[in-house]
Amino acid sequence: FIDLVSARYGDYVQTWEIWNEPDSKDFLTPNDPWNFKQLMTVAYDTIKSRYPDAIVLNGGLASPNPAFAEVMLREYGNKFDAMNIHIYQCGNYFKDGDFRRLDREMDGLKGLIDRYKPGTQLWVTEFGCSNFTLGIDVTAEMQRDYLQKGMFHLLNKEWIERVFIY
């Protein structure tokens, strides 16, 4: 399948995200980094054999998830070009009033990246805020505030390459 898709779309696609939230039981069973390793390895090798300049991202982790990320970085960090996560922390932002909790998690992830794959950029391929989170009814104005402030906050970290709003 990866061979077929990369052959068909490779001339049009520069960046490939392999899978969605492999650390979530909703998207991969069992949802462990060892189960994901084979898919990531085959996808990376297949795409790079056809398109060596393509950027291959790991499946966006459902959160910074340090345990999952550490195994990926340590055991098969050579099978993705940039680390990729999804961030939905607006409930914490509204509860705490700032991004301290997000910063702690991101700093922990940055430490793992620096240990196992120094210089690797982080992509945030989903950054969002649902209408109802942590028991809070979130208005459109609250979402706008979180997304605007959060986007600037994340992009001020020089090791974050891209942020996509979901």
Side-chain angles (χ1 to χ4, degrees):
F1 178 77
I2 294 166
D3 189 51
L4 176 71
V5 169
S6 65
R8 183 172 186 170
Y9 297 107
D11 290 336
Y12 309 101
V13 176
Q14 175 62 34
T15 303
W16 299 83
E17 181 178 355
I18 309 304
W19 211 255
N20 180 60
E21 300 179 358
D23 56 330
S24 168
K25 64 181 173 17
D26 293 335
F27 298 106
L28 187 65
T29 304
N31 62 318
D32 65 64
W34 299 107
N35 187 35
F36 185 54
K37 180 180 181 178
Q38 182 178 1
L39 174 60
M40 194 69 239
T41 299
V42 169
Y44 182 87
D45 290 346
T46 301
I47 292 166
K48 288 293 193 170
S49 71
R50 285 185 188 275
Y51 304 98
D53 295 331
I55 298 168
V56 179
L57 307 174
N58 62 282
L61 300 181
S63 67
N65 198 338
F68 199 103
E70 183 168 16
V71 172
M72 285 179 50
L73 288 160
R74 183 184 65 231
E75 299 299 325
Y76 51 101
N78 62 332
K79 297 300 179 183
F80 51 92
D81 299 314
M83 191 75 188
N84 173 26
I85 64 169
H86 299 164
I87 298 174
Y88 294 91
Q89 291 208 4
C90 62
N92 292 330
Y93 172 74
F94 296 128
K95 181 180 172 204
D96 300 338
D98 57 36
F99 292 104
R100 283 180 295 170
R101 189 178 306 195
L102 175 61
D103 285 341
R104 282 193 304 272
E105 290 185 10
M106 298 297 285
D107 290 346
L109 182 59
K110 173 71 167 127
L112 290 172
I113 292 170
D114 288 347
R115 182 182 316 146
Y116 295 107
K117 199 170 172 164
T120 298
Q121 294 289 302
L122 179 75
W123 289 44
V124 179
T125 56
E126 289 184 24
F127 177 60
C129 182
S130 69
N131 291 339
F132 184 79
T133 183
L134 294 181
I136 301 168
D137 287 323
V138 179
T139 66
E141 292 78 22
M142 293 168 76
Q143 287 176 324
R144 184 182 62 238
D145 178 63
Y146 170 76
L147 293 172
Q148 283 178 337
K149 290 178 181 172
M151 179 70 76
F152 288 112
H153 188 79
L154 290 170
L155 290 174
N156 278 325
K157 298 177 184 301
E158 73 283 346
W159 54 280
I160 296 180
E161 177 72 21
R162 301 269 196 283
V163 179
F164 296 89
I165 294 176
Y166 179 82

mmCIF file of all heavy atoms in Angstrom, residues 49-73:
data_model
loop_
_atom_site.group_PDB
_atom_site.id
_atom_site.type_symbol
_atom_site.label_atom_id
_atom_site.label_comp_id
_atom_site.label_asym_id
_atom_site.label_seq_id
_atom_site.Cartn_x
_atom_site.Cartn_y
_atom_site.Cartn_z
ATOM 1 N N SER A 49 13.189 5.466 -0.743
ATOM 2 C CA SER A 49 13.785 4.805 -1.911
ATOM 3 C C SER A 49 13.330 5.468 -3.210
ATOM 4 O O SER A 49 14.072 5.509 -4.181
ATOM 5 C CB SER A 49 13.442 3.311 -1.924
ATOM 6 O OG SER A 49 12.078 3.110 -2.233
ATOM 7 N N ARG A 50 12.129 5.990 -3.233
ATOM 8 C CA ARG A 50 11.603 6.673 -4.417
ATOM 9 C C ARG A 50 11.918 8.169 -4.396
ATOM 10 O O ARG A 50 12.191 8.762 -5.429
ATOM 11 C CB ARG A 50 10.080 6.532 -4.490
ATOM 12 C CG ARG A 50 9.600 5.198 -4.921
ATOM 13 C CD ARG A 50 8.071 5.270 -5.068
ATOM 14 N NE ARG A 50 7.513 3.969 -5.312
ATOM 15 C CZ ARG A 50 7.414 3.413 -6.505
ATOM 16 N NH1 ARG A 50 7.851 4.055 -7.559
ATOM 17 N NH2 ARG A 50 6.900 2.226 -6.644
ATOM 18 N N TYR A 51 11.810 8.781 -3.218
ATOM 19 C CA TYR A 51 11.921 10.230 -3.067
ATOM 20 C C TYR A 51 12.858 10.562 -1.903
ATOM 21 O O TYR A 51 12.407 10.841 -0.799
ATOM 22 C CB TYR A 51 10.532 10.859 -2.834
ATOM 23 C CG TYR A 51 9.562 10.505 -3.923
ATOM 24 C CD1 TYR A 51 8.647 9.468 -3.768
ATOM 25 C CD2 TYR A 51 9.596 11.187 -5.140
ATOM 26 C CE1 TYR A 51 7.784 9.127 -4.782
ATOM 27 C CE2 TYR A 51 8.734 10.848 -6.161
ATOM 28 C CZ TYR A 51 7.827 9.815 -5.988
ATOM 29 O OH TYR A 51 6.978 9.471 -6.994
ATOM 30 N N PRO A 52 14.159 10.491 -2.128
ATOM 31 C CA PRO A 52 15.119 10.688 -1.039
ATOM 32 C C PRO A 52 15.017 12.056 -0.358
ATOM 33 O O PRO A 52 15.394 12.186 0.801
ATOM 34 C CB PRO A 52 16.482 10.534 -1.714
ATOM 35 C CG PRO A 52 16.239 10.089 -3.106
ATOM 36 C CD PRO A 52 14.789 10.201 -3.403
ATOM 37 N N ASP A 53 14.491 13.058 -1.049
ATOM 38 C CA ASP A 53 14.381 14.394 -0.457
ATOM 39 C C ASP A 53 13.065 14.619 0.282
ATOM 40 O O ASP A 53 12.864 15.680 0.876
ATOM 41 C CB ASP A 53 14.546 15.466 -1.528
ATOM 42 C CG ASP A 53 15.938 15.455 -2.127
ATOM 43 O OD1 ASP A 53 16.893 15.067 -1.423
ATOM 44 O OD2 ASP A 53 16.072 15.832 -3.317
ATOM 45 N N ALA A 54 12.180 13.649 0.251
ATOM 46 C CA ALA A 54 10.909 13.783 0.962
ATOM 47 C C ALA A 54 11.168 13.874 2.462
ATOM 48 O O ALA A 54 12.170 13.371 2.977
ATOM 49 C CB ALA A 54 10.004 12.589 0.661
ATOM 50 N N ILE A 55 10.259 14.528 3.156
ATOM 51 C CA ILE A 55 10.306 14.589 4.617
ATOM 52 C C ILE A 55 9.301 13.573 5.142
ATOM 53 O O ILE A 55 8.121 13.612 4.769
ATOM 54 C CB ILE A 55 9.955 16.000 5.127
ATOM 55 C CG1 ILE A 55 10.965 17.017 4.606
ATOM 56 C CG2 ILE A 55 9.884 16.023 6.653
ATOM 57 C CD1 ILE A 55 10.549 18.458 4.812
ATOM 58 N N VAL A 56 9.772 12.670 5.989
ATOM 59 C CA VAL A 56 8.895 11.654 6.565
ATOM 60 C C VAL A 56 8.782 11.926 8.059
ATOM 61 O O VAL A 56 9.781 11.972 8.775
ATOM 62 C CB VAL A 56 9.434 10.226 6.312
ATOM 63 C CG1 VAL A 56 8.519 9.188 6.955
ATOM 64 C CG2 VAL A 56 9.570 9.967 4.809
ATOM 65 N N LEU A 57 7.542 12.128 8.503
ATOM 66 C CA LEU A 57 7.252 12.352 9.916
ATOM 67 C C LEU A 57 6.713 11.078 10.530
ATOM 68 O O LEU A 57 6.017 10.310 9.865
ATOM 69 C CB LEU A 57 6.185 13.440 10.073
ATOM 70 C CG LEU A 57 6.416 14.777 9.390
ATOM 71 C CD1 LEU A 57 5.178 15.665 9.551
ATOM 72 C CD2 LEU A 57 7.635 15.467 9.966
ATOM 73 N N ASN A 58 7.006 10.877 11.809
ATOM 74 C CA ASN A 58 6.361 9.781 12.522
ATOM 75 C C ASN A 58 4.865 10.074 12.613
ATOM 76 O O ASN A 58 4.424 11.190 12.370
ATOM 77 C CB ASN A 58 6.941 9.632 13.930
ATOM 78 C CG ASN A 58 6.708 10.859 14.792
ATOM 79 O OD1 ASN A 58 7.402 11.851 14.638
ATOM 80 N ND2 ASN A 58 5.737 10.805 15.682
ATOM 81 N N GLY A 59 4.086 9.077 12.966
ATOM 82 C CA GLY A 59 2.672 9.317 13.221
ATOM 83 C C GLY A 59 2.546 10.289 14.381
ATOM 84 O O GLY A 59 3.181 10.104 15.415
ATOM 85 N N GLY A 60 1.752 11.332 14.222
ATOM 86 C CA GLY A 60 1.629 12.342 15.267
ATOM 87 C C GLY A 60 1.145 11.732 16.565
ATOM 88 O O GLY A 60 0.073 11.139 16.622
ATOM 89 N N LEU A 61 1.951 11.841 17.609
ATOM 90 C CA LEU A 61 1.560 11.300 18.907
ATOM 91 C C LEU A 61 0.391 12.098 19.467
ATOM 92 O O LEU A 61 0.298 13.312 19.279
ATOM 93 C CB LEU A 61 2.741 11.333 19.871
ATOM 94 C CG LEU A 61 3.972 10.532 19.433
ATOM 95 C CD1 LEU A 61 5.071 10.619 20.490
ATOM 96 C CD2 LEU A 61 3.619 9.087 19.132
ATOM 97 N N ALA A 62 -0.487 11.420 20.195
ATOM 98 C CA ALA A 62 -1.696 12.056 20.716
ATOM 99 C C ALA A 62 -1.382 13.150 21.732
ATOM 100 O O ALA A 62 -2.220 13.989 22.015
ATOM 101 C CB ALA A 62 -2.613 11.006 21.331
ATOM 102 N N SER A 63 -0.203 13.129 22.264
ATOM 103 C CA SER A 63 0.278 14.154 23.188
ATOM 104 C C SER A 63 1.794 14.013 23.197
ATOM 105 O O SER A 63 2.328 13.117 22.556
ATOM 106 C CB SER A 63 -0.298 13.924 24.592
ATOM 107 O OG SER A 63 0.217 12.741 25.155
ATOM 108 N N PRO A 64 2.505 14.846 23.938
ATOM 109 C CA PRO A 64 3.958 14.644 23.955
ATOM 110 C C PRO A 64 4.387 13.223 24.350
ATOM 111 O O PRO A 64 5.413 12.758 23.915
ATOM 112 C CB PRO A 64 4.439 15.697 24.951
ATOM 113 C CG PRO A 64 3.484 16.818 24.748
ATOM 114 C CD PRO A 64 2.146 16.130 24.547
ATOM 115 N N ASN A 65 3.609 12.514 25.136
ATOM 116 C CA ASN A 65 3.788 11.090 25.458
ATOM 117 C C ASN A 65 5.257 10.671 25.533
ATOM 118 O O ASN A 65 5.762 9.967 24.645
ATOM 119 C CB ASN A 65 3.042 10.241 24.439
ATOM 120 C CG ASN A 65 2.809 8.823 24.945
ATOM 121 O OD1 ASN A 65 3.510 8.347 25.823
ATOM 122 N ND2 ASN A 65 1.827 8.164 24.385
ATOM 123 N N PRO A 66 5.965 11.052 26.594
ATOM 124 C CA PRO A 66 7.405 10.811 26.655
ATOM 125 C C PRO A 66 7.816 9.336 26.597
ATOM 126 O O PRO A 66 8.827 9.018 25.978
ATOM 127 C CB PRO A 66 7.826 11.450 27.982
ATOM 128 C CG PRO A 66 6.576 11.694 28.736
ATOM 129 C CD PRO A 66 5.455 11.767 27.756
ATOM 130 N N ALA A 67 7.046 8.440 27.181
ATOM 131 C CA ALA A 67 7.431 7.021 27.156
ATOM 132 C C ALA A 67 7.425 6.478 25.727
ATOM 133 O O ALA A 67 8.368 5.803 25.304
ATOM 134 C CB ALA A 67 6.502 6.210 28.051
ATOM 135 N N PHE A 68 6.376 6.752 24.987
ATOM 136 C CA PHE A 68 6.268 6.305 23.597
ATOM 137 C C PHE A 68 7.344 6.982 22.749
ATOM 138 O O PHE A 68 8.039 6.334 21.968
ATOM 139 C CB PHE A 68 4.870 6.642 23.066
ATOM 140 C CG PHE A 68 4.456 5.868 21.850
ATOM 141 C CD1 PHE A 68 3.576 4.805 21.964
ATOM 142 C CD2 PHE A 68 4.899 6.212 20.583
ATOM 143 C CE1 PHE A 68 3.159 4.092 20.841
ATOM 144 C CE2 PHE A 68 4.498 5.508 19.458
ATOM 145 C CZ PHE A 68 3.623 4.441 19.592
ATOM 146 N N ALA A 69 7.481 8.293 22.919
ATOM 147 C CA ALA A 69 8.459 9.055 22.137
ATOM 148 C C ALA A 69 9.877 8.562 22.386
ATOM 149 O O ALA A 69 10.677 8.466 21.445
ATOM 150 C CB ALA A 69 8.348 10.547 22.472
ATOM 151 N N GLU A 70 10.204 8.244 23.625
ATOM 152 C CA GLU A 70 11.566 7.801 23.919
ATOM 153 C C GLU A 70 11.902 6.505 23.203
ATOM 154 O O GLU A 70 12.989 6.366 22.636
ATOM 155 C CB GLU A 70 11.792 7.647 25.417
ATOM 156 C CG GLU A 70 13.223 7.251 25.729
ATOM 157 C CD GLU A 70 13.578 7.352 27.200
ATOM 158 O OE1 GLU A 70 12.690 7.444 28.050
ATOM 159 O OE2 GLU A 70 14.792 7.344 27.467
ATOM 160 N N VAL A 71 10.993 5.543 23.201
ATOM 161 C CA VAL A 71 11.254 4.289 22.490
ATOM 162 C C VAL A 71 11.420 4.562 21.000
ATOM 163 O O VAL A 71 12.349 4.047 20.368
ATOM 164 C CB VAL A 71 10.143 3.256 22.746
ATOM 165 C CG1 VAL A 71 10.326 2.025 21.857
ATOM 166 C CG2 VAL A 71 10.117 2.842 24.214
ATOM 167 N N MET A 72 10.547 5.376 20.430
ATOM 168 C CA MET A 72 10.668 5.701 19.002
ATOM 169 C C MET A 72 12.025 6.325 18.697
ATOM 170 O O MET A 72 12.712 5.907 17.767
ATOM 171 C CB MET A 72 9.569 6.680 18.577
ATOM 172 C CG MET A 72 8.210 6.068 18.435
ATOM 173 S SD MET A 72 6.960 7.286 17.956
ATOM 174 C CE MET A 72 7.725 8.081 16.579
ATOM 175 N N LEU A 73 12.388 7.331 19.464
ATOM 176 C CA LEU A 73 13.644 8.044 19.215
ATOM 177 C C LEU A 73 14.854 7.132 19.412
ATOM 178 O O LEU A 73 15.785 7.146 18.612
ATOM 179 C CB LEU A 73 13.745 9.261 20.135
ATOM 180 C CG LEU A 73 12.812 10.421 19.769
ATOM 181 C CD1 LEU A 73 12.612 11.347 20.960
ATOM 182 C CD2 LEU A 73 13.363 11.177 18.573
#
